[in-house]
Amino acid sequence: MGKIFKNMLPYWKWILVIVAFLILQAFCDLSLPQYTSNLIDVGIMSSGVEHILPEKMTQEDYQLAQLFMTKKEREAFADCYEAETDGAVDASQQEGQTEMTENSGTLASVYRRVCDKKTLEEADEKFLEPMVMVYQMSQMKESDIDMSKMTKLMQALASGQLPEEQILAMREKVSDQIDAIGAKTLQSMGVSYAVVCDRNAGLDVDKIQMHYMVTAGIKMLVFTLLMALAAVGVGYCASIVGAAIGRDLREKTFRNVVQFSNAEMDHFSTASLITRSTNDVQQVQMVTTVFLRMVLYAPIVGIGGIIKVAQTKAGMEWVIGLAVLLIVGFVMLLVSIAMPKFKIMQELVDRLNLVSREILTGLNVIRAFGREKKEEERFDEANRNLTRAQLFTNRVMTFMMPGMMMIMYCITLLIVWVAAKRIDGGYMQVGAMTAFITYTMMIVMSFLMLTAMSIMLPRAGVAAERMEEVIRTTSSTTDPKEPKKPAREKGVVSFRHVNFRYPGADEDVLVDIDFVAEPGKTTAIIGSTGCGKSTLVNLLPRFYDVTSGSITVDGVDIRDYSLKELREMIGFVPQKGILFSGTIESNLRFGAEDATEEQIREAAEIAQASEFIEEKEDGYQSSIAQGGSNVSGGQKQRLAIARAIAKNPKIFVFDDSFSALDMKTDAALRKALSEKTKEAAVLIVAQRISTILHADQILVLDDGRIVGKGTHEELLRSCEVYEQIARSQLSAKELGLSEEVK
């Protein structure tokens, strides 16, 4: 997990932009359920009226509304309204209106509400009880109420003859009955009274309702559009960050792998490196994108939803807690079952890639030996192992969505059941229940997103760890802090008591290798298969570093050279000729991009490759397929030799590079090469005696040790191993041996 976050750090600015978009998206998303609730509770059920204080009131309604108010409440109520009159109303008249007295003068016929929103919200609680009592009284039939008593009561209240204690006692007696109704029902009754008063005052209540519905709808549309734009912005930015992280990981991996010595390449198989650079990077990239788009959104929506739920005052918060516990418990159960398989899956992908690569690269050999059936079985085994692991995790995960949906539906039913009781008791409204269900689903979904990511993150974490393992692995062959240069570059190679052991091996494969290869001379290395010939020449360009002893070039230890400068001095032709997709010319220029056309042609002629190149229709511009699959083994080997010659190095290393050449071509190539390498040191690893007959110095290796050193003639006399190799390949006459020696 930490590795994934580490990869995101360079893009913190983009992440801040994403968080800003997510906050906007969450704000809009969380606002919509409240508008839906308001449309139901206010727009539909309350005719678009939000507060219990009517917008306008007739004089009769204005006075009746104050019937059960205390003196202080009447004063506050009067402050909320302004009289609408055709003429002026003097101070005595205004005072009479406030105290509900009938003074002389023209009284206002209509009162208009003038208080601000904050006062309105406070009034909803302050005047709710007395106004509901008036509303209840107004709903009684005339047969149920003594109108003469009511008139006397109103006159007594208006004249101030009725003590306030008696008013409070009346309110207390009635409020006990009203309390049983429930707070929300009480609020609804207060709003209903406001609607009646507005209608009595001549307001078009239907128009008010329609205006409220249209306004709320427009607001919802605006929030929806903003939410969509924010979601698009989040997706765009998250995709940029995910793609950039994938690019960076591939770049870092490739840059590091290119610097690896053969020791690191042996540690990481080629198939594994390919898997890490493709499948593992894809896993990290996908999870990063999903994380930025969904996981960051989840806590924002979850916290916002909890706040909104608290604001609904529905009293059902325990339902959310229950839902979250069920979701988390269910997902953790699934994860605990599937988790061990995720790491195994990546290893099985490595294995499948390895088998696939071996089969595809060795297809001709497989066909030649009739091993198709066996190799199919080997591939099938690797494929089935991966399939079984994937099926296991997929089968476990298939329970997730049905399980989640079942929990969510059960929670919805529980909310409806509990809310129905509260609505019936008057403590909740239908719109509030709808909003509560929506908010609950948002909170549950946010936890669902987090828990779902808990399944993706482990696999991505494994992939990130595998990538990090490659990136943090440093090559055992690194540049020195202060590279050295020889006073003069000649190309003198000196092995001084060199020992070498492969990493993790128990024994040295090279022991006490000591010789000097001089410019203008050819040093040949011969020996039985597996005696360490290729390993020896691989030490020179530092594909491996010596275990003990030293190798110097012009008197400077090769470990004190920069790798670039050291390898620029060497023209290396590997045992297996490797070409790259492109053209013949691009391959010959591989080590010398600035080589002239004449130099390229000269290198091809020396390598005996110009003849078959010029026979091709496009000549040096002829295409080379991947791996050089469209040229023969001998042609591939000659092009590899020409590539090294075109580089014009101080040191030539030929690692059994003439094995695919016929005797005639081999002889012609070596003759032409001897002219080109008069000022360069030449090291040749060979299996054929004929290739090294005229070498200035021949090293005979046996079991990792030099058992003979000298010219062909000297070794025939002094080295039994060399004589045995020579006799196995050439006749005594060809070797110039007498019958006595024979």
Side-chain angles (χ1 to χ4, degrees):
M1 187 70 177
K3 299 292 186 299
I4 296 175
F5 291 148
K6 180 183 175 182
N7 294 326
M8 296 183 193
L9 284 178
Y11 303 98
W12 62 271
K13 291 181 180 178
W14 279 103
I15 294 174
L16 288 179
V17 173
I18 291 171
V19 170
F21 275 126
L22 288 174
I23 291 173
L24 175 61
Q25 183 183 352
F27 176 78
C28 297
D29 202 1
L30 291 167
S31 298
L32 290 176
Q34 188 58 53
Y35 279 107
T36 303
S37 174
N38 291 341
L39 277 174
I40 297 172
D41 292 339
V42 179
I44 297 174
M45 302 187 69
S46 299
S47 302
V49 177
E50 298 181 73
H51 303 284
I52 66 170
L53 290 186
E55 189 174 334
K56 284 189 177 182
M57 300 181 75
T58 62
Q59 178 185 347
E60 181 181 355
D61 286 336
Y62 178 79
Q63 292 179 346
L64 186 62
Q66 303 176 55
L67 186 62
F68 296 103
M69 293 183 187
T70 63
K71 183 177 181 181
K72 188 176 181 181
E73 288 173 341
R74 287 198 298 272
E75 291 173 353
F77 183 79
D79 291 338
C80 294
Y81 285 90
E82 183 181 77
E84 290 186 353
T85 59
D86 294 332
V89 180
D90 59 24
S92 61
Q93 289 175 328
Q94 181 65 41
E95 182 180 355
Q97 291 168 11
T98 303
E99 296 183 358
M100 298 180 64
T101 59
E102 296 181 356
N103 297 326
S104 61
T106 303
L107 292 176
S109 58
V110 177
Y111 294 85
R112 180 169 54 87
R113 192 179 67 202
V114 294
C115 55
D116 56 25
K117 186 176 181 180
K118 183 180 179 181
T119 306
L120 272 175
E121 291 173 352
E122 292 173 352
D124 285 341
E125 184 177 348
K126 184 186 297 182
F127 302 123
L128 180 60
E129 194 172 85
M131 293 190 74
V132 168
M133 290 175 67
V134 172
Y135 176 70
Q136 287 284 80
M137 184 185 68
S138 66
Q139 295 300 304
M140 295 180 183
K141 297 179 181 179
E142 289 191 8
S143 57
D144 296 334
I145 186 170
D146 190 336
M147 295 304 297
S148 61
K149 287 184 178 181
M150 181 58 65
T151 302
K152 290 179 181 179
L153 178 63
M154 292 178 64
Q155 289 175 349
L157 286 168
S159 61
Q161 295 176 0
L162 193 64
E164 190 163 310
E165 291 78 9
Q166 190 173 345
I167 295 173
L168 292 173
M170 293 172 61
R171 277 176 57 172
E172 186 177 352
K173 184 177 180 181
V174 177
S175 66
D176 289 340
Q177 300 174 353
I178 293 177
D179 284 344
I181 299 173
K184 292 298 179 181
T185 303
L186 201 65
Q187 177 76 17
S188 179
M189 291 169 64
V191 170
S192 297
Y193 180 63
V195 172
V196 171
C197 292
D198 284 337
R199 187 176 282 111
N200 292 341
L203 292 178
D204 189 343
V205 176
D206 293 337
K207 185 177 180 181
I208 292 173
Q209 184 179 28
M210 184 57 66
H211 177 266
Y212 181 88
M213 298 282 282
V214 170
T215 302
I218 292 172
K219 289 179 180 178
M220 291 180 74
L221 179 61
V222 170
F223 277 118
T224 303
L225 291 175
L226 284 175
M227 185 170 65
L229 289 173
V232 170
V234 169
Y236 176 74
C237 295
S239 298
I240 288 177
V241 174
I245 287 174
R247 176 201 63 203
D248 292 348
L249 285 173
R250 285 189 294 269
E251 184 178 337
K252 290 177 183 177
T253 302
F254 184 77
R255 188 186 300 123
N256 208 38
V257 168
V258 168
Q259 303 299 322
F260 279 174
S261 70
N262 287 12
E264 286 73 50
M265 292 301 295
D266 293 340
H267 175 71
F268 299 103
S269 69
T270 304
S272 179
L273 287 173
I274 292 172
T275 304
R276 293 172 196 241
S277 300
T278 53
N279 184 274
D280 288 356
V281 171
Q282 187 178 7
Q283 286 290 329
V284 174
Q285 182 175 329
M286 179 186 68
V287 167
T288 298
T289 304
V290 174
F291 177 86
L292 293 174
R293 292 183 63 180
M294 298 175 60
V295 178
L296 285 183
Y297 188 58
I300 297 173
V301 171
I303 294 170
I306 291 171
I307 293 172
K308 288 288 187 179
V309 163
Q311 290 175 348
T312 62
K313 298 178 181 178
M316 296 193 297
E317 290 77 7
W318 61 271
V319 177
I320 296 175
L322 176 62
V324 170
L325 285 175
L326 289 174
I327 291 285
V328 172
F330 181 68
V331 172
M332 292 309 295
L333 175 64
L334 296 181
V335 170
S336 63
I337 296 173
M339 184 70 69
K341 290 289 183 180
F342 286 127
K343 189 169 184 178
I344 296 173
M345 280 173 59
Q346 295 303 106
E347 294 171 355
L348 291 174
V349 170
D350 281 352
R351 176 62 184 168
L352 183 64
N353 284 344
L354 175 63
V355 172
S356 301
R357 185 171 179 273
E358 285 182 342
I359 292 173
L360 293 175
T361 53
L363 200 54
N364 288 339
V365 178
I366 292 169
R367 289 169 178 166
F369 284 87
R371 292 274 302 181
E372 292 92 341
K373 189 67 177 176
K374 290 291 183 183
E375 293 305 313
E376 285 177 12
E377 290 174 0
R378 191 160 71 101
F379 176 83
D380 191 53
E381 181 185 0
N383 191 27
R384 285 180 180 276
N385 288 338
L386 177 59
T387 303
R388 278 195 291 269
Q390 289 176 332
L391 283 175
F392 179 83
T393 55
N394 290 341
R395 283 167 181 162
V396 172
M397 292 302 107
T398 53
F399 288 98
M400 174 168 285
M401 285 311 297
M404 294 296 101
M405 297 307 296
M406 176 62 72
I407 292 173
M408 290 175 64
Y409 288 139
C410 289
I411 291 297
T412 302
L413 288 173
L414 179 62
I415 291 172
V416 172
W417 184 69
V418 175
K421 287 182 170 291
R422 295 184 64 80
I423 291 171
D424 184 57
Y427 301 105
M428 194 176 186
Q429 292 179 292
V430 176
M433 180 191 72
T434 305
F436 187 87
I437 291 174
T438 307
Y439 287 131
T440 303
M441 291 303 104
M442 284 183 176
I443 295 168
V444 171
M445 285 302 295
S446 67
F447 276 91
L448 179 58
M449 282 189 278
L450 290 173
T451 49
M453 279 301 295
S454 67
I455 298 169
M456 299 176 66
L457 280 175
R459 187 173 181 185
V462 170
E465 181 62 39
R466 281 158 54 89
M467 294 299 302
E468 185 69 17
E469 183 184 2
V470 177
I471 293 170
R472 69 168 177 255
T473 298
T474 57
S475 176
S476 56
T477 55
T478 57
D479 284 330
K481 293 182 179 179
E482 297 181 2
K484 296 179 182 179
K485 289 186 177 181
R488 185 180 176 186
E489 292 185 359
K490 295 181 179 179
V492 179
V493 178
S494 177
F495 278 64
R496 297 177 179 175
H497 305 288
V498 169
N499 293 315
F500 175 72
R501 177 181 300 182
Y502 283 107
D506 297 327
E507 298 179 355
D508 291 340
V509 293
L510 293 176
V511 180
D512 196 28
I513 304 299
D514 192 89
F515 70 92
V516 177
E518 298 178 353
K521 295 183 179 180
T522 299
T523 298
I525 305 166
I526 195 168
S528 60
T529 302
C531 66
K533 301 185 298 296
S534 294
T535 301
L536 188 151
V537 294
N538 281 336
L539 296 177
L540 184 56
R542 292 189 68 194
F543 294 156
Y544 294 100
D545 267 341
V546 299
T547 305
S548 63
S550 65
I551 304 172
T552 64
V553 174
D554 294 328
V556 178
D557 194 310
I558 61 173
R559 288 169 291 191
D560 292 330
Y561 280 95
S562 70
L563 288 170
K564 188 176 188 304
E565 290 182 355
L566 172 66
R567 290 168 181 172
E568 280 182 350
M569 297 170 65
I570 302 171
F572 192 89
V573 184
Q575 190 171 9
K576 181 181 178 182
I578 297 174
L579 300 180
F580 299 91
S581 57
T583 63
I584 290 176
E585 184 179 0
S586 68
N587 272 277
L588 297 186
R589 290 183 184 276
F590 199 77
E593 293 182 3
D594 56 349
T596 63
E597 188 174 342
E598 290 73 18
Q599 290 173 323
I600 294 297
R601 291 182 181 276
E602 181 190 12
E605 288 174 5
I606 293 172
Q608 307 301 303
S610 57
E611 184 179 347
F612 81 81
I613 293 174
E614 290 168 0
E615 287 177 355
K616 292 181 176 290
E617 184 178 347
D618 297 324
Y620 286 86
Q621 299 304 317
S622 299
S623 63
I624 295 293
Q626 181 182 358
S629 59
N630 60 338
V631 293
S632 69
Q635 290 173 342
K636 189 187 299 184
Q637 205 164 62
R638 279 178 278 172
L639 289 174
I641 293 170
R643 179 172 60 197
I645 295 170
K647 189 178 179 182
N648 195 26
K650 292 292 182 183
I651 304 165
F652 283 93
V653 177
F654 299 98
D655 184 6
D656 199 14
S657 307
F658 307 102
S659 58
L661 305 181
D662 58 80
M663 302 293 288
K664 179 183 176 182
T665 304
D666 185 359
L669 193 156
R670 283 187 286 107
K671 181 179 179 181
L673 186 63
S674 63
E675 296 294 326
K676 179 69 175 177
T677 59
K678 284 183 177 180
E679 296 182 358
V682 179
L683 280 79
I684 298 177
V685 172
Q687 297 282 0
R688 295 196 306 223
I689 291 290
S690 59
T691 303
I692 62 171
L693 279 173
H694 305 290
D696 299 287
Q697 178 182 221
I698 301 174
L699 306 178
V700 183
L701 285 187
D702 186 40
D703 198 20
R705 299 174 184 270
I706 296 178
V707 295
K709 184 188 302 183
T711 62
H712 170 70
E713 291 76 13
E714 291 171 347
L715 290 171
L716 281 176
R717 292 193 299 269
S718 62
C719 183
E720 183 181 352
V721 175
Y722 183 79
E723 182 187 352
Q724 290 174 354
I725 295 172
R727 284 180 177 279
S728 68
Q729 297 183 18
L730 300 173
S731 66
K733 184 178 180 181
E734 289 173 315
L735 293 172
L737 297 175
S738 63
E739 291 300 323
E740 288 80 6
V741 175
K742 183 177 176 181

